[in-house]
Amino acid sequence: MKQALSKLWAAWKKFGLFIGDLIARIVLTLFYFTIFLPFGLIITLFSDQLDMKDLTPSWLARKTKDLTLKDARRLW
């Protein structure tokens, strides 16, 4: 009797692991295709992730004081 229950319990655990793995795969697949994938596509299509839309130059013209070579060689 005890041996039969032990075998039944081992079979039940195998079945539970199989069903748990199956349900996990189904739930994660549904999550990916219904939430994660559309969110990623929307973010990719409608956002500027590298902030490259406004590429106008932001620097100013340099005004230098070292007009001669002697002035350029002086550090201070």
Side-chain angles (χ1 to χ4, degrees), residues 57-65:
S58 61
W59 55 81
L60 302 173
R62 181 175 180 260
K63 296 179 183 177
T64 180
K65 294 181 181 179

Side-chain angles (χ1 to χ4, degrees), residues 15-62:
F15 178 72
L17 286 174
F18 172 75
I19 292 296
D21 184 47
L22 183 68
I23 296 296
R25 287 176 189 255
I26 291 171
V27 168
L28 289 175
T29 301
L30 288 174
F31 173 77
Y32 179 77
F33 285 109
T34 58
I35 297 172
F36 195 66
L37 183 68
F39 179 76
L41 288 174
I42 289 169
I43 293 298
T44 302
L45 293 175
F46 296 113
S47 72
D48 185 20
Q49 295 173 352
L50 297 178
D51 197 25
M52 294 180 63
K53 284 187 180 174
D54 185 29
L55 290 179
T56 56
S58 61
W59 55 81
L60 302 173
R62 181 175 180 260

